[in-house]
């Protein structure tokens, strides 16, 4: 009788641990702290086509504008945004993404302050900076909240990808006014 209570208690504890790690992949209890994200293949393909379209047109004579487009396309061409395959996202990937977004944001701020772009182009860059700040904020929220559920994490990461995809459309407007 006593042995069966111990077995039931141990089984319950193990089951509770496994369930908590499954439902809260970035929790303190989780060892691997990663989550698999499967991007939508159609939107990934559209994203890659839009990115190619932005870079395909070299009719732009404004060197400053061309530099902005090239630098931002380099940021937007990262594998985590262009891949249509399943991605395993862990905390290190989020830290790398945050640093990449921050670096891109600082570059955009520098361009706003130090280039001879028109006021509308500077406003466009300011909007991109605001988008980057939204992405940084979302990444910080993911990293600081250990009890996001698996579905909340997937939605947050997909939201980040959506902001990135919107930046491609905005960049397309800058490249092809």
């Amino acid at each position: 009788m006593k042995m069966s209570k111990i077995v039931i208690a141990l089984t319950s504890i193990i089951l509770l641990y496994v369930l908590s790690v499954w439902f809260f992949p970035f929790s303190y209890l989780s060892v691997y702290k990663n989550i698999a994200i499967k991007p939508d293949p159609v939107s990934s393909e559209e994203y890659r086509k839009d990115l190619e379209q932005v870079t395909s047109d070299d009719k732009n004579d404004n060197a400053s504008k061309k530099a902005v487009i090239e630098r931002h396309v380099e940021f937007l061409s990262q594998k985590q945004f262009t891949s249509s395959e399943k991605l395993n996202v862990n905390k290190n990937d989020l830290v790398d993404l945050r640093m990449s977004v921050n670096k891109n944001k600082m570059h955009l701020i520098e361009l706003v302050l130090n280039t001879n772009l028109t006021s509308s182009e500077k406003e466009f860059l300011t909007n991109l900076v605001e988008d980057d700040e939204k992405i940084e904020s979302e990444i910080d929220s993911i990293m600081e909240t250990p009890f996001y559920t698996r579905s909340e994490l997937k939605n947050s990461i997909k939201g980040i990808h959506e902001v990135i995809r919107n930046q491609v459309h905005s960049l397309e407007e800058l490249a092809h006014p």
Side-chain angles (χ1 to χ4, degrees), residues 35-50:
I35 186 167
I37 304 291
K38 176 73 174 134
D40 177 36
V42 174
S43 63
S44 295
E45 183 63 31
E46 288 175 6
Y47 177 80
R48 285 192 298 276
K49 284 180 182 177
D50 290 343

Side-chain angles (χ1 to χ4, degrees), residues 8 12 17 24 98 128 137 163:
I8 290 173
S12 298
Y17 173 76
F24 306 106
R98 178 145 185 353
L128 289 179
S137 169
V163 172

Side-chain angles (χ1 to χ4, degrees), residues 11-49:
T11 305
S12 298
I13 290 171
I14 291 170
L15 185 61
L16 184 63
Y17 173 76
V18 169
L19 288 175
S20 68
V21 169
W22 172 255
F23 285 111
F24 306 106
F26 284 5
S27 73
Y28 299 118
L29 300 174
S30 180
V31 176
Y32 298 112
K33 296 188 186 333
N34 70 12
I35 186 167
I37 304 291
K38 176 73 174 134
D40 177 36
V42 174
S43 63
S44 295
E45 183 63 31
E46 288 175 6
Y47 177 80
R48 285 192 298 276
K49 284 180 182 177

Side-chain angles (χ1 to χ4, degrees), residues 53-177:
Q53 186 175 1
V54 168
T55 58
S56 67
D57 188 19
D58 288 339
K59 296 177 185 174
N60 200 343
D61 294 334
N62 187 338
S64 297
K65 189 191 246 186
K66 194 171 186 175
V68 168
I69 293 170
E70 287 175 0
R71 174 68 176 92
H72 205 63
V73 165
E74 180 183 318
F75 165 71
L76 296 171
S77 297
Q78 295 179 43
K79 181 185 176 223
Q80 57 205 13
F81 305 136
T82 59
S83 177
S84 59
E85 299 172 4
K86 182 175 88 168
L87 299 168
N88 286 321
V89 179
N90 60 35
K91 284 213 174 190
N92 291 336
D93 294 333
L94 290 174
V95 169
D96 292 344
L97 177 59
R98 178 145 185 353
M99 288 191 303
S100 177
V101 169
N102 188 36
K103 182 178 174 185
N104 186 62
K105 181 180 79 170
M106 291 303 151
H107 180 73
L108 291 172
I109 290 171
E110 182 180 315
L111 288 172
V112 168
L113 298 175
N114 299 327
T115 58
N116 57 348
L117 297 172
T118 66
S119 62
S120 64
E121 292 167 344
K122 287 186 178 190
E123 182 179 332
F124 168 79
L125 290 179
T126 305
N127 290 338
L128 289 179
V129 168
E130 289 172 3
D131 285 346
D132 284 350
E133 287 175 349
K134 288 177 193 174
I135 293 170
E136 284 180 327
S137 169
E138 189 64 35
I139 292 171
D140 288 343
S141 175
I142 290 171
M143 291 175 49
E144 293 171 0
T145 309
F147 294 106
Y148 266 171
T149 63
R150 186 169 291 278
S151 63
E152 289 172 331
L153 284 170
K154 285 182 178 182
N155 289 338
S156 292
I157 292 170
K158 286 181 180 181
I160 290 170
H161 285 212
E162 201 57 44
V163 172
I164 296 293
R165 286 189 173 99
N166 290 338
Q167 283 189 356
V168 171
H169 294 297
S170 297
L171 198 60
E172 201 169 359
E173 291 174 17
L174 179 67
H176 310 288

